[in-house]
Amino acid sequence: MSEAPNTQEPKEPSGARLALTLAFAGLISGVALVFTYELTKPVIARNREAALRAAVGRVVPGAKSMRKLVWRDGALQPASAADKDAAVLIAFDARGAAVGFAIVTEGPGFQDTIRLIYGFDASTNTITGMEVLESRETPGLGDKIYKDPDFVKQFKKLSVQPSVKLVKKGKGSGTANEVDAITGATISSKAVIKIINTADKTWRSRLGTVDRNKVRAP
Amino acid sequence: MDKSLVWIFFSALLINNFTLSYFLGLCPFFGVSGRIATALRLGLATIFVMVITSLCAWLLNTFVLPYAPYLRLISFIVVIASTVQFVEMAIKKLSPGLFRALGIFLPLITTNCAILGLALFQTSKGYGLLAGLVYAVGAGAGFTLALVLMAGLREEAELAKVPAIIRGTALNLIIAGLLSLAFMGFAGLFSSSA
Amino acid sequence: MSALGKDPATFYNEFVKGIWKENPIFVQVLGMCPMLAVTNSAINAVAMGGATFFVLVGSSLLVSLLRKAIPKQVRITTYIIIIATFVTVADFTLQALAPAVHKELGAFIALIVVNCLILGRQEAFASKAPLRLALADAVGMAGGFALALLSLGSVREVLGSGSLFGFSLFGPRFEPWVVMILPPGGFIMLGLLLLVFGWAKERRARRAAVELGEAGAGGPAGRGGR
């Protein structure tokens, strides 16, 4: 570059001019982006928080506030801001007493990954509610895992001992750990049960490690 | 862990095929699916670029973007474009044979939305390095598969008696629709053994 | 395919060509990825159309305004930076104002960056035209794109869910054609719409030919995908 004489200068803009244009474009774009980002960040965070709070409120009866927990050093501890998405939340009622846990988990469904949240009462080992957060199950069939009230209702008071079991509609023996499969969406129903059982295996024993003195209602 | 990698691979390859289920990379899908041999080469070049993109996206996501999340889109695009250019030059120097096979397709791939889609999906799914690479190979192979099948069908369709008015894009879209319908049969491949 | 002569470059002409004569989807077949991915309901189509409109009109204005300041060698890079900035702004804004819609569209908002329609308009038009015409062209193209999205989204939602904008149309006895809101339905329905569009165009061309006294219009050549 430095060896080239100045003869072609008038025809072609210099390398410096090109670099300057790009740098200028980058600068303006950066300013615009930072501005929008700072402006929308609090709103986006508030939206996300509100959505999560609403979901926890629906799967843990009586939940008014919550706190994120992470599994570290063999115990469940309050999550710091650096921990991105904690998988477990502890929910408190209006007076600040712990009313249960909410667990966010995911696994393969019929079409794509299903992400769901379920509430858990550790004192009675029962699931207190379930909500699908994200899925791409077939409309009209697999999407009944969250659109069919009869299916969702069964997770309101569901024992996990020894584990949740899926049965054909009307073929169950009536024990507290049974869920009736959705007719026409057996695989999607199976996937939900499997996801919950896998998460339960990981988390049930860990839930007892919460230090009630350290983890208080916010 | 192993099982989830297998799921990631087959999910990207068949069940959630980038082209037939997410509609990514449609421009080359319709543009370059005239002949099987060309389609195969473009597909291989795409797998190659996807793997590199996945690596770059992981590096950016891990080391740069936590500090400046608003730069995600711009940095992805710039990095993809410059990597492809760099790879093109490198291949030209190192392996002229490979360059002749893939070379002309590389610039085309930069504007393929499947590449940016891969980087974005990998980010939103929270895949790590290994999972991301497996995802990239699966998605690229899925794109190749769709492209080659489409090329085969179009070679047949050329010989068939089709009314003039439906020839061209409309016919290709309908063929793609039938192919997509066939791929829906792969859903449930993994959860049925629960 | 434009049988008619080149119209003079007026605001109105530039605007109308995007809506109908050079409609980005039905005639140019550009930007199909977002077109098919988000049109499983009318409301998603509207959101996507709106976001694309914002990005296309914004970038075209800026590019036209700066057309003399951008050196030719780095123009594509500059356009991409401009477009990506507008898309990121749209992405954040939508996420803040309409989180539910943003969740539905997901990564496809970010993918507007690689919509060939947008970069194509900068290169083919905005970089050469004065501000007024660039605005007309961008509004027309974006409008045509949004209209195409809306028509496909409406048809797919009506057939696939039996509703439009979420309002049920046919009552509980209607059995929805679920395939229409699934990926294959997108391909097939767009194919059929293109067919109808091509048929209407051919009919018009033939009638015009008859009026001119020419016997028999030439057989239409297939439009190759680009």
Side-chain angles (χ1 to χ4, degrees), chain A residues 1-8:
Chain A
M1 277 256 264
S2 55
E3 282 170 48
N6 252 3
T7 48
Q8 287 187 335

Side-chain angles (χ1 to χ4, degrees), chain A residues 12-13 17-18 21-22 25-26 29 32-33 36-37 40 43-44 47-48 133-134 136 138-140, chain C residues 68-71 73-74 77-78 81 84-85 88-89 92-93 95-97 99 103 178 181-183:
Chain A
E12 301 235 323
R17 167 124 198 268
L18 299 186
T21 312
L22 283 185
S29 137
L33 287 185
T36 326
Y37 178 69
T40 52
V43 187
I44 294 171
N47 284 344
R48 213 172 268 168
L133 300 173
E134 244 176 77
R136 286 184 70 226
T138 324
Chain C
K68 296 208 175 92
I70 300 173
Q73 289 84 346
V74 290
T77 321
T78 317
I81 292 178
T85 309
T88 313
V89 168
F92 281 138
T93 312
Q95 207 174 348
L97 297 182
K103 198 181 156 196
V178 173
I181 47 177
L182 295 174

Side-chain angles (χ1 to χ4, degrees), chain C residues 61-78:
Chain C
L61 282 182
L62 209 56
V63 165
S64 170
L65 207 62
L66 299 174
R67 69 186 185 280
K68 296 208 175 92
I70 300 173
K72 221 174 114 209
Q73 289 84 346
V74 290
R75 66 185 194 287
I76 299 287
T77 321
T78 317

Side-chain angles (χ1 to χ4, degrees), chain A residues 144-175:
Chain A
K144 285 186 184 160
I145 56 171
Y146 55 92
K147 281 191 177 159
D148 183 351
D150 286 339
F151 181 71
V152 178
K153 205 171 64 190
Q154 301 179 73
F155 293 88
K156 279 263 183 300
K157 198 165 181 241
L158 181 67
S159 170
V160 294
Q161 271 167 332
S163 65
V164 182
K165 220 173 104 190
L166 191 75
V167 294
K168 265 195 188 147
K169 213 162 198 166
K171 293 276 174 69
S173 49
T175 49

